[in-house]
Amino acid sequence: MVNQLPKRLAKYFWDVNLNQLNPLEDADFLIKRILERGETQDIFWLKRQFGLEKIAVSLKKYRDFSRKTGLFWTLLLNLNQSEVPCLQTPYRRIRYGV
């Protein structure tokens, strides 16, 4: 695993200081952003750095992946859709407080 991000990934992290982003500590954040917005070469970098198992763990851990991303990676990694939070029915309020 590297301690520094490739410069080409900076466009996905416009809202954070890249010098303070640590791939070891911020792996889930990196995985989420790159899976959602990355290009093919960025996905290959992600797979080399973290492996498919870590990507699968992140998909099973966080609800904030888009449904499209969740479905694609669930099929690609052969995951059970019921284990991927972004594919679950969101919470809905009960009408009229009943």
Side-chain angles (χ1 to χ4, degrees), residues 4 13 21 63 72 92:
Q4 197 149 1
F13 301 98
L21 202 57
R63 180 177 282 279
F72 175 79
R92 294 198 173 103

Side-chain angles (χ1 to χ4, degrees), residues 4 7 9-10 15 17-20 23 32 35 37 41-42 46 51-52 56 60-62 66-67 73 76 86 89 93:
Q4 197 149 1
K7 293 195 186 307
L9 297 179
D15 57 340
N17 183 343
L18 285 181
N19 296 327
Q20 294 179 347
K32 287 191 286 185
L35 286 186
R37 297 184 174 102
Q41 66 181 2
D42 306 323
L46 193 69
L52 293 176
K60 292 178 185 180
K61 194 174 182 183
Y62 296 102
S66 68
R67 183 166 181 78
W73 285 96
L76 193 68
C86 70
T89 304
R93 292 178 53 122

Side-chain angles (χ1 to χ4, degrees), residues 78-93:
N78 198 28
L79 301 175
N80 187 335
Q81 287 187 11
S82 66
E83 297 177 316
V84 180
C86 70
L87 301 178
Q88 305 312 306
T89 304
Y91 167 78
R92 294 198 173 103
R93 292 178 53 122

Side-chain angles (χ1 to χ4, degrees), residues 40-55:
T40 304
Q41 66 181 2
D42 306 323
I43 301 296
F44 287 139
W45 177 86
L46 193 69
K47 286 172 45 180
R48 283 192 310 272
Q49 297 309 309
F50 300 109
L52 293 176
E53 184 61 36
K54 177 63 177 157
I55 292 171

